[in-house]
Each structure stands twice: as C-alpha cells, then as structure tokens.
Amino acid sequence: MVHNAATMATVEFSGDWLPSCLSSPGTNMAKGGSGKRVQRPISASSSSRRFHTLQMGLKMLTSLKFWVAIVVVALVLGFYQLAGRETFSDLLAKEKKMSATHMGHTAPAYPKTKARAKIDTKELNPVKDEKESHEEADKSLKIEEQHAKESSQESEYHVLQMFTKAGNNRGLIDKFKLCFNSMMQKSSIRPDNGEILHLHLVSDPDSKAIAEGIVSTWLQKGLLKLSFHDPVQLTETLHPIVKPMQEKFSAGAKAYYGDSIFFLSVGMHKVFPSDTKHIVQLDCDLKFRSDIRELFDMFDHFESENVIGIAEEQQPVYRHTFWQYRNEHKGTKVGNPPPDGQPGFNSGVLLLDLDKMRASSLYNSLLNGTVVRTMSEEFHFKGHLGDQDYFTLLSYRYPQLFHVLPCTWNRQLCTWWQDKGYQEVFDFYHDCAGEVNIYHGNCNTPIPDR
C-alpha cells in the first residue's frame, strides 16, 4: 500500500532509544510478540511535532547570544596575540600612563632604539659637513673678535696731573711718586671688572722719562693706561682763553702759576675729545687714603647746573686778598669761613664734568676777557694762584656752577697764614671733621705716614 509523501513517512526506530519527550503516548509504535520491529505508518500530526522539535534544537544552535559569545572569545584571544600577549594588568597600566600624559603630567616616552636608529640611518654628506664646519669656525671667530673688542672697550676713569720741570726737582718727583702709588694701591678700579684708570700726564720730555719709570710696574701689570700731553701744544690751544686770566690771577708770566698750563682746568672741555665725559685733575702733592672710585662717584651728586666739583680753601687766603671789597661791603660773606661764609676754593682736587662744561652756555660765556676784567675790578681782586682764583671769583656771582666737595677729600695741611695776623680766626677755616680721604701737603707741608 503506498502513502502520499506529503502526509506519510516511514521511520525505523527503537522505543528504548527515543527520549521520553519523544516517546509519549499517542505515537504510532508497537512491538510484535516476537520482538521484531514493525513498520507502521506515521500520521501527519506526529511528523509535524518531531519536525518542530528538531527546529527548536537548530534555533538554539543558531542563537545570536551563542555566536556573540563565540566571536567575543575569538576577538579577545586575537587581541592578546597581536598585543604581544600583554596581560590585563599591563593594559590597565598603559591606559593610566596615557591618561596622565594627556593630562599634562608626564611627557610621552619614546623608545631609545628608535632615536638610535634615526641617528644611525642619517645620510652622510661630506661636502655639506665640511661647509657647515667652516661656517661654525667662522661664527666662533666672529664671537671671539667681538669679545676682544668688548674687552678693549673698558670703562675708563680719566685722571690728569701736571708733571713738568721735574728734571732736577727731587721734591716734585717724590711728591708725584707718593701721590701716584697711594692712588693705585687704594683703587678698586681694575680690568677684571672691565674698568681701568687712564692717567693723563702733562709732561715735557725729561719729566716724561721720569714718570715712565715711576708708573712702569703698574703698566706691566695691565692695571693702568697712560697718555702724555705736550705742554707746549696745550699752551698754544689754551692761550686765547686764559690770557686775560694770566693777567689777573698770576704774579707774572715768569711766576710758577703764570704758565698757561696752570689754567688747563678752565678750558679742559675744549682740549679733550667729546667722548671724554669726566676727568679728575689732581695736584702732585697728595696722598690717597681712600679709593679714587669714591671720588668719581661724586659726579652723580652734581646738581643740574654744577659743572665743577671743588673743595673749599682751608686757610684765610681770600679773607686777605678780598680785604678791600670786604671793607666796602660790611657784612659780606665773601672771604668768611664756613659753614656760612664763602672762603673761596682750593684746586688741589678737581672734578670736571666735561659734558656739562661743554653744554653750559653760562660757563662758556664767562670764558671771556671782558667778563674776567669786569669781575676782577668789581671785587678789587688781584690773585696769584691760577685757576683756583678764577673759580673763587666766579663762585661769588655764580655759585650754582660748583659742587662743593667735603673737606676730607682735600685735607689741606698748610698753615702758612696762621701766624700772619689771622691766629684768632684761623681754626674756623682750617678745622675739618671726619676721616681724611686725601691729604694735601700744600706749601711743601709734610704728609703724615698714617
């Protein structure tokens, strides 16, 4: 008997093998008495149930979760393989380090092997390397030249002294030697600091040779710069300026202070080049007990109209020489002692601000023969001490041109006027309180050794 294929199927089975879920009552299975299997037709409903059961099994095998789990496991295993088998702890540590880097706490670390590889694989170019080498050498040479130029442009502290007619003058030689050596020994101006003392000596040939012997040790040490100036040439330059002063402020052309050179300070700004801003002029009969740098520092204390720094005279010199003017002008301060009087000046130590002397229309207008004669007549004055007479006369009309130095920076030792009728007032002029910075052995007075 043949059944329709759409509704029938022939199945060989054993009831013992089928699971209980498939061997439920209502299935068309039977055993014969002999234990032989008997084939029986299966109905359409029974076949459908079994097919549905098989479908459920296949659905489980094709479940999305199942395959997702399989894919995740495969990806994890593959990631470990690609990452060099790093552990989860390694990955976590790396993640923390990268986070810190992005936060700006640490700089990214680059493998040293890569840096070496970059250096090792650098392409060499002999021609280019040689060119760069020459360029570096040229650059170094230029830097050295610039340094040498800068070191040669030291800050110069200019000092000027008159050292003339010293050939047979042992006393003058000894004074100059004491002044110069004490100045150098006390000075802190050194080339190590980019500074140097520049000594200008106004000397004739004989005096020049003597001076060179005295300063040679300091020159050899490189602690001094030395320049000589010819007094004849300077006199020719100064003569038009100082001629009227020579007539009024010297005892004659043949007198010691009669030479035009002793008025050099008056016209110094017209003699020295414009790049010389300041200069200190010193007599030879001095002894330094302090650093000359401190003297140069006083330029910083000049008022706007001050052109010259100078100390007051410490004897009643101008009380005597202005006697007629004082008699005609009772109560005048001219010639009176400090602190309220006008005792006049001593030019043993001079601070000359050459820039201000050049720029001062007032000062330059007074370098005039007519002005000199007019003022001299007004004050009935005839002096004999050169430039300091001129500065004293100017100060009585134009005190703003002068910055008064402390007496300790020109401590004058001369007492010649004490027994010339001025015993009662002498000490008012001569007293000088404070530690002495510079001794001035004027009128051949011995200077203390201390």
Side-chain angles (χ1 to χ4, degrees), residues 28-271:
N28 295 323
M29 296 181 293
K31 276 188 179 180
S34 61
K36 294 181 179 180
R37 292 185 180 92
V38 179
Q39 291 183 350
R40 290 184 179 180
I42 300 173
S43 67
S45 61
S46 176
S47 176
S48 176
R49 284 195 300 270
R50 288 185 178 89
F51 181 77
H52 180 71
T53 302
L54 292 172
Q55 272 187 325
M56 293 296 292
L58 291 173
K59 284 182 179 180
M60 183 185 71
L61 293 174
T62 59
S63 170
L64 178 61
K65 292 181 178 179
F66 175 83
W67 290 109
V68 166
I70 294 297
V71 170
V72 168
V73 171
L75 287 174
V76 170
L77 292 174
F79 181 79
Y80 285 171
Q81 182 67 25
L82 292 174
R85 297 183 180 179
E86 293 177 306
T87 65
F88 180 75
S89 297
D90 294 334
L91 292 173
L92 184 59
K94 181 181 288 187
E95 177 62 26
K96 289 181 178 180
K97 187 174 183 180
M98 292 177 65
S99 298
T101 300
H102 289 302
M103 292 296 289
H105 297 299
T106 59
Y110 299 100
K112 294 182 180 179
T113 54
K114 289 185 179 180
R116 287 199 297 269
K118 185 175 181 180
I119 295 171
D120 294 340
T121 57
K122 182 181 178 181
E123 184 178 353
L124 298 178
N125 187 335
V127 176
K128 183 178 179 181
D129 290 346
E130 184 177 358
K131 181 179 179 181
E132 290 178 352
S133 178
H134 285 303
E135 289 176 352
E136 287 295 326
D138 291 342
K139 184 177 180 181
S140 298
L141 182 60
K142 288 179 180 178
I143 292 173
E144 290 177 3
E145 290 175 349
Q146 180 64 26
H147 287 167
K149 184 177 180 181
E150 290 175 356
S151 64
S152 66
Q153 294 177 343
E154 296 166 313
S155 296
E156 295 187 359
Y157 290 75
H158 298 273
V159 177
L160 182 138
Q161 289 185 282
M162 308 287 182
F163 188 64
T164 62
K165 303 176 182 178
N168 298 315
N169 193 336
R170 188 68 238 178
L172 178 59
I173 295 171
D174 291 342
K175 291 175 183 177
F176 173 73
K177 187 182 296 185
L178 176 62
C179 178
F180 172 76
N181 286 326
S182 65
M183 176 180 70
M184 296 302 297
Q185 289 165 2
K186 295 291 184 180
S187 176
S188 66
I189 299 169
R190 293 287 187 265
D192 291 346
N193 301 323
E195 306 167 332
I196 195 164
L197 271 174
H198 188 166
L199 179 62
H200 300 264
L201 292 179
V202 179
S203 300
D204 54 76
D206 291 342
S207 302
K208 176 181 176 182
I210 296 170
E212 286 174 334
I214 294 172
V215 306
S216 60
T217 300
W218 298 95
L219 281 174
Q220 291 168 5
K221 292 179 180 179
L223 301 176
L224 180 72
K225 187 174 181 179
L226 180 63
S227 296
F228 285 96
H229 301 272
D230 184 359
V232 175
Q233 292 181 357
L234 288 177
T235 298
E236 291 176 354
T237 303
L238 290 170
H239 186 71
I241 302 172
V242 304
K243 183 179 178 180
M245 299 175 193
Q246 284 179 284
E247 297 173 358
K248 296 293 183 180
F249 310 132
S250 71
K254 293 183 180 181
Y256 183 75
Y257 292 107
D259 198 321
S260 297
I261 204 65
F262 289 103
F263 293 91
L264 174 60
S265 60
V266 173
M268 188 85 75
H269 61 299
K270 295 182 177 293
V271 174

